[in-house]
């Protein structure tokens, strides 16, 4: 469903990668590996359409993502290093807004259920600014449960999470793959998804 052909990307005068080719189908999990500065985040953001590649093509269901536009963005969700949540709003308000911007119709019952699944029971209406870094990350990750996206692109999703939350994240990924979703991710922490063989793409 996702095909990358002869992709190249540079940052300034530095070529990060070139002639990159791979594909991803339903139920598959791909880990992008590489040292700091190798271009992992740039690759993920390029796959999302946030960065124009220097060369090559990214196709979703056989069509270039540039041609698909909003149709592609409706089927993809990206979580980056930053949580992309507003400190002055509470968790419920943040998720309600992000779901609306993504075109997902959700009610407060669904949002509260997602927050509680992420271990935030009792903190749904607290201002995000009073939450710990790990709890803020959980708020951001709750967006995955409210999304209809087939393709999850996750840049260091385990940042600031404790052992219990890492295990929960592994469960969410496993459930998504069982439901024919796809996941591309980077991480410096071990991520083990039971019953799924993780493909690896190394940038050097």
């Amino acid at each position: 469903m996702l095909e990358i052909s002869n992709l190249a990307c540079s940052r300034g005068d530095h070529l990060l990668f070139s002639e990159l080719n791979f594909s991803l189908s339903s139920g598959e999990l791909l880990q992008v590996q590489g040292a700091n500065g190798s271009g992992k985040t740039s690759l993920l953001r390029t796959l999302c359409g946030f960065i124009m590649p220097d060369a090559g093509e990214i196709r979703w269901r056989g069509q270039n993502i540039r041609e698909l536009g909003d149709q592609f963005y409706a089927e993809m969700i990206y979580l980056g290093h930053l949580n992309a949540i507003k400190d002055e709003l509470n968790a419920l308000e943040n998720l309600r807004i992000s779901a609306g911007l993504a075109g997902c119709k959700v009610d407060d019952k669904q949002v509260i259920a997602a927050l509680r699944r992420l271990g935030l029971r009792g903190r749904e209406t607290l201002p995000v600014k009073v939450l710990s870094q790990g709890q803020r990350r959980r708020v951001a990750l709750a967006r995955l449960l409210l999304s209809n996206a087939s393709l999850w692109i996750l840049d260091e999703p385990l940042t600031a999470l404790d052992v219990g939350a890492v295990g929960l994240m592994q469960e969410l990924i496993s459930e998504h793959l069982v439901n024919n979703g796809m996941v591309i991710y980077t991480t410096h922490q071990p991520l083990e998804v039971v019953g799924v063989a993780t493909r690896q793409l190394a940038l050097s």
Side-chain angles (χ1 to χ4, degrees):
M1 296 175 68
L2 181 71
E3 301 170 279
I4 283 71
S5 176
N6 296 316
L7 200 66
C9 180
S10 61
R11 185 166 52 203
D13 295 328
H14 177 59
L15 181 65
L16 295 173
F17 52 82
S18 64
E19 298 182 2
L20 194 61
N21 296 276
F22 66 91
S23 62
L24 198 68
S25 300
S26 298
E28 290 191 322
L29 177 66
L30 176 68
Q31 180 183 10
V32 179
Q33 299 177 321
N36 290 339
S38 61
K40 300 188 297 296
T41 293
S42 294
L43 172 59
L44 296 193
R45 291 181 62 81
T46 301
L47 297 179
C48 293
F50 302 155
I51 297 175
M52 279 289 293
D54 296 329
E57 189 176 25
I58 304 166
R59 293 187 295 273
W60 176 252
R61 302 186 191 277
Q63 286 186 262
N64 190 297
I65 63 170
R66 295 288 171 185
E67 298 171 356
L68 288 172
D70 290 343
Q71 183 179 338
F72 171 67
Y73 295 123
E75 298 188 73
M76 179 275 295
I77 185 170
Y78 170 76
L79 290 180
H81 287 240
L82 301 178
N83 292 322
I85 54 179
K86 294 185 179 296
D87 284 350
E88 65 272 15
L89 301 179
N90 62 42
L92 179 62
E93 292 166 336
N94 267 288
L95 290 181
R96 191 189 298 133
I97 291 171
S98 63
L101 291 173
C104 300
K105 294 183 179 180
V106 298
D107 55 33
D108 285 356
K109 184 177 179 179
Q110 291 171 293
V111 177
I112 290 172
L115 288 168
R116 291 180 176 178
R117 177 80 189 275
L118 267 296
L120 293 168
R121 179 184 292 273
R123 297 173 175 83
E124 301 94 339
T125 58
L126 292 177
V128 168
K129 62 184 177 184
V130 306
L131 302 181
S132 69
Q133 288 300 321
Q135 290 169 338
R136 294 182 192 195
R137 191 61 172 169
R138 289 177 186 232
V139 173
L141 292 172
R143 290 171 51 203
L144 298 172
L145 290 175
L146 300 172
S147 170
N148 298 320
S150 300
L151 175 61
W152 291 4
I153 299 182
L154 314 174
D155 197 359
E156 296 293 343
L158 308 183
T159 299
L161 296 183
D162 57 23
V163 174
V166 170
L168 178 56
M169 190 64 209
Q170 291 170 172
E171 289 180 19
L172 297 183
I173 290 175
S174 178
E175 291 172 8
H176 184 60
L177 297 175
V178 167
N179 290 320
N180 294 318
M182 295 174 283
V183 179
I184 301 175
Y185 72 98
T186 68
T187 182
H188 289 294
Q189 300 172 248
L191 178 63
E192 299 177 3
V193 180
V194 178
V196 178
T198 302
R199 293 173 52 195
Q200 296 175 334
L201 173 66
L203 300 180
S204 59

